[in-house]
Amino acid sequence: MHSHKDTLLLTPEEMGQVDRAAAASGLFSYGLMERAGQAVAACALRRFPGALRFVVLCGPGNNGGDGYVAARALQAAGAEIAVHALDDPAALRGDAATAFGQFTGLVAPLADYHPRTGDVVVDALFGAGLARDLAADVVAIIESINESVIPVLAVDLPSGIDGRTGAVRGAAFQAAASVTFMCRKPGHLLLPGRMMAGALEIFDIGIPGRILRAHGGEIGVNAPAAWRDVLPIETGAGHKYVRGHLAVFSGPATATGAARLSAMAGLRAGAGLVTLLSPTAALPANAAHLTAVMLKPIDDEGDLAALLEDARLKTFVLGPGFGDGERARRYAGLIASGERRLVLDADGITAFRDDPQALFDLFEGPVPRLVVTPHDGEFARLFPDIAKDSTLSKIERAQKAAARSNGVVVLKGADTVIAAPDGRALVNDNAPPWLATAGSGDVLAGLVGAHLAQGMPAFEAAASAVWRHGEAGRLAGEGLTAETLIDALTGLDQLK
C-alpha cells in the first residue's frame, strides 16, 4: 500500500532526516541511490523514445550521484549518452562518489555542453535541497538550454527551484517532466515550481512508509484522505436542521450578486437550509433571483441579535459584496460572542484592515470557529508583516497567519494553501487555471460555510471545500462562469 506518497509532503529538510533515518535503520543507502538513478533512466527511455542522445548534467551532490547511475543505466540500455559535470567529480563524497566510480564513460565539464537537435537533457545538477541562488555560469547554461527548447527531464525537481518554497533561485529549467522519490516536496506544488516541474512522477525507491510518516506530518497534499473521515454521515433522517442552517449576509441593493452566489453554492453543497440576510432595500433584488434560498431582512445589529436567539443558526458567511466595513465589524462581533462559526471573505476581510488583532481576539479559543479566505492582496491587509517576509514559503505564511488569527486561513491562488492554528497545512493541487474567474471566490466561501454547517471541523471543512471547488471547476470545464461552477457541485457522495 503506497497511498502515503499521494498525500504526504516532506520539506527538503525532513527528506534529509528521512534519508539519514533510513540509513541508520540498516537500509543500504547506495542501494536507494541505485534504484533512484535506474528509475530516472527508465522514465527517460519511456518518455523520450525518439531521443538521439541523452545528455546527463551532474551536480556536486547526491542529485549528481543519481545522474551518474542514470547515465550508466541509459548506456547499458544502448542509448547514446553524454555526461557533463559541474565541478570536479573527483571531489564527490559518499554515495555520489560511489555512483561516479561505477560510471565508466567520459565526463566533460558543464560549460562544454552545446545543445544538439535530438538531445534530451537529464537534469541532475541540484535537487529539492537547493536553498541559494545559482552561480552565473549555471544560470547561463540553464537559460541557453531553455531557449533551445530541448526537452528536460529533472531529477527530483528542476535545478534552480527551491524545494521548500517553489521559488526560482536565479534561473531554473523548464522541465517536460520530473522524477521525484517517495513523495512530493513543497516546490513541486507551490508556484512557480509547479509550472516548471512539468509532469511529475513519484517513484518508490523502498524507504518504508513508517520512516516517512515519522518525519513528516504537519503538511500534506489536499486530497480526500486528509478529511474523508470527518465528512457528514448520510443518515436516513435527512431532516433539514440535521444538515445544518447556513446564513449569508447580502450587500446593498446595488451589490447583491456575490452573496447570492455564496448562498446558492451553500445550498448545492449540502447545507439543509440557507438564508440570505438582506438589507430591506435589497430584498426586491434578491427575491427576484432566489427560489430555494430563504430571505430574511436584517438592517442592523438589533435585527441580527434577535435572529441569533435561534440556537440552530450557527454558521455565517460575511463579506462577498458586503461593502459596509463598520457594519461588518459589528456583525462579526455579535457572531463571535455567540460561539458561532464565521467564514470571512472579501469585504469582510478588508473591514478589519486597520485593526486585524480585533478580529483575531474575537475568535480566541481552543476550537477554531473562524475561516478567512483571502487572496494575496487581502492577506496583506490582515497580515502585513507576514506577507512582506520573502524568506517564507506560501505554506509557512499561511501557517503563521493561522496561528496568529486563531482561525483557519485559506490563502487562495492556483496553489491554495489551507492552514490551521495548530500548524497543520494542506496544499491544493486540483484547481484548473480557468477557475480564476469572477465569482469563483464567492462560491468557495459558500462551500466552506455549507461544510461547517454540516458539522465538519473548521480545518477539514475548508480543505474539503477547496478540493471540491477544484473538482467542480474541472467538471464545469473551460469558459466556466460562477453559475456553471455551482451547477457542477453535486452531492458529498463523490467525496467519499
Side-chain angles (χ1 to χ4, degrees), residues 374-376 379 394 397-398 409-413 415-418:
H375 55 57
D376 285 328
F379 182 88
K394 184 169 184 174
R397 287 201 302 276
V409 173
V410 177
L411 181 48
K412 295 190 294 199
D415 52 356
T416 295
V417 177
I418 307 99

Side-chain angles (χ1 to χ4, degrees), residues 339-361:
E339 292 299 302
R340 289 167 160 91
R341 293 171 300 221
L342 176 64
V343 180
L344 194 70
D345 184 34
D347 294 346
I349 292 172
T350 305
F352 285 94
R353 68 186 307 168
D354 295 332
D355 188 4
Q357 195 56 47
L359 170 67
F360 309 153
D361 291 345

Side-chain angles (χ1 to χ4, degrees), residues 113-115 138-150 173:
Y113 173 55
H114 300 291
V138 181
V139 168
I141 280 171
I142 288 176
E143 286 174 345
S144 77
I145 292 170
N146 281 345
E147 279 159 26
S148 70
V149 210
I150 281 168
F173 282 114

Side-chain angles (χ1 to χ4, degrees), residues 253-442:
T254 51
T256 56
R260 268 202 311 279
L261 288 173
S262 292
M264 294 301 299
L267 194 64
R268 192 59 64 90
L273 292 164
V274 180
T275 301
L276 196 62
L277 307 177
S278 167
T280 303
L283 284 173
N286 279 317
H289 294 282
L290 294 173
T291 43
V293 171
M294 299 184 299
L295 261 178
K296 188 124 185 111
I298 298 280
D299 286 306
D300 55 37
E301 286 154 284
D303 293 344
L304 180 56
L307 182 75
L308 292 177
E309 287 169 17
D310 181 347
R312 293 173 300 193
L313 198 51
K314 294 187 179 72
T315 312
F316 295 81
V317 174
L318 172 61
F322 192 74
D324 188 333
E326 172 61 32
R327 181 173 294 177
R329 291 192 293 277
R330 293 200 302 261
Y331 283 5
L334 278 174
I335 291 164
S337 60
E339 292 299 302
R340 289 167 160 91
R341 293 171 300 221
L342 176 64
V343 180
L344 194 70
D345 184 34
D347 294 346
I349 292 172
T350 305
F352 285 94
R353 68 186 307 168
D354 295 332
D355 188 4
Q357 195 56 47
L359 170 67
F360 309 153
D361 291 345
L362 283 173
F363 286 92
E364 261 184 319
V367 180
R369 298 183 292 124
L370 173 69
V371 179
V372 288
T373 52
H375 55 57
D376 285 328
E378 291 159 347
F379 182 88
R381 286 168 210 160
L382 288 184
F383 310 100
D385 54 325
I386 299 175
K388 278 199 210 74
D389 187 343
S390 58
T391 64
L392 299 175
S393 72
K394 184 169 184 174
I395 296 170
E396 292 159 343
R397 287 201 302 276
Q399 286 172 315
K400 280 188 180 301
R404 179 185 297 174
S405 67
N406 307 311
V408 171
V409 173
V410 177
L411 181 48
K412 295 190 294 199
D415 52 356
T416 295
V417 177
I418 307 99
D422 62 11
R424 287 176 298 161
L426 293 167
V427 186
N428 199 61
D429 77 335
N430 73 345
W434 56 84
L435 196 53
T437 182
S440 175
D442 306 322

Side-chain angles (χ1 to χ4, degrees), residues 5-387:
K5 73 179 187 184
D6 299 327
T7 56
L8 199 63
L9 203 53
L10 288 176
T11 63
E13 193 184 349
E14 289 167 340
M15 200 63 211
Q17 293 166 358
V18 164
D19 289 338
R20 290 188 289 278
S25 79
L27 276 176
F28 178 40
S29 66
Y30 180 71
L32 299 175
M33 180 173 282
E34 184 69 34
R35 285 200 284 278
Q38 295 280 349
V40 171
C43 180
L45 292 167
R46 187 177 73 247
R47 280 190 178 264
F48 306 102
L52 299 182
R53 176 173 76 148
F54 289 102
V55 180
V56 186
L57 310 182
C58 294
N62 280 344
N63 205 246
D66 295 340
Y68 289 111
V69 174
R72 193 179 83 240
L74 287 165
Q75 198 171 34
E80 187 182 333
I81 62 159
V83 177
H84 291 266
L86 172 66
D87 302 342
D88 181 2
L92 289 168
R93 294 281 168 265
D95 290 334
T98 307
F100 171 65
Q102 303 263 327
F103 175 70
T104 53
L106 294 170
V107 178
L110 185 60
D112 290 1
Y113 173 55
H114 300 291
R116 280 194 336 218
T117 307
D119 278 355
V120 169
V121 166
V122 176
D123 160 29
L125 290 173
F126 300 99
L130 181 78
R132 57 185 165 80
D133 287 353
L134 296 177
D137 55 336
V138 181
V139 168
I141 280 171
I142 288 176
E143 286 174 345
S144 77
I145 292 170
N146 281 345
E147 279 159 26
S148 70
V149 210
I150 281 168
V152 175
L153 175 64
V155 179
D156 197 17
L157 201 64
S159 293
I161 296 292
D162 185 314
R164 178 179 64 90
T165 66
V168 174
R169 308 301 299 252
F173 282 114
Q174 175 61 65
S178 299
V179 183
T180 194
F181 311 109
M182 300 315 302
C183 65
R184 285 175 276 197
K185 319 300 175 301
H188 290 122
L189 289 173
L190 298 176
L191 294 173
R194 180 195 299 187
M195 305 305 288
M196 307 297 283
L200 185 63
E201 296 196 16
I202 308 168
F203 194 82
D204 189 332
I205 54 173
I207 297 174
R210 62 185 162 76
I211 294 181
L212 286 169
R213 287 188 293 272
H215 292 86
E218 283 209 319
I219 63 173
V221 183
N222 189 23
W227 31 260
R228 191 185 277 121
D229 56 346
V230 294
L231 285 170
I233 295 162
E234 293 291 325
T235 61
H239 190 283
K240 57 193 177 187
Y241 282 107
V242 174
R243 287 177 54 206
H245 190 163
L246 174 65
V248 180
F249 288 95
S250 167
T254 51
T256 56
R260 268 202 311 279
L261 288 173
S262 292
M264 294 301 299
L267 194 64
R268 192 59 64 90
L273 292 164
V274 180
T275 301
L276 196 62
L277 307 177
S278 167
T280 303
L283 284 173
N286 279 317
H289 294 282
L290 294 173
T291 43
V293 171
M294 299 184 299
L295 261 178
K296 188 124 185 111
I298 298 280
D299 286 306
D300 55 37
E301 286 154 284
D303 293 344
L304 180 56
L307 182 75
L308 292 177
E309 287 169 17
D310 181 347
R312 293 173 300 193
L313 198 51
K314 294 187 179 72
T315 312
F316 295 81
V317 174
L318 172 61
F322 192 74
D324 188 333
E326 172 61 32
R327 181 173 294 177
R329 291 192 293 277
R330 293 200 302 261
Y331 283 5
L334 278 174
I335 291 164
S337 60
E339 292 299 302
R340 289 167 160 91
R341 293 171 300 221
L342 176 64
V343 180
L344 194 70
D345 184 34
D347 294 346
I349 292 172
T350 305
F352 285 94
R353 68 186 307 168
D354 295 332
D355 188 4
Q357 195 56 47
L359 170 67
F360 309 153
D361 291 345
L362 283 173
F363 286 92
E364 261 184 319
V367 180
R369 298 183 292 124
L370 173 69
V371 179
V372 288
T373 52
H375 55 57
D376 285 328
E378 291 159 347
F379 182 88
R381 286 168 210 160
L382 288 184
F383 310 100
D385 54 325
I386 299 175

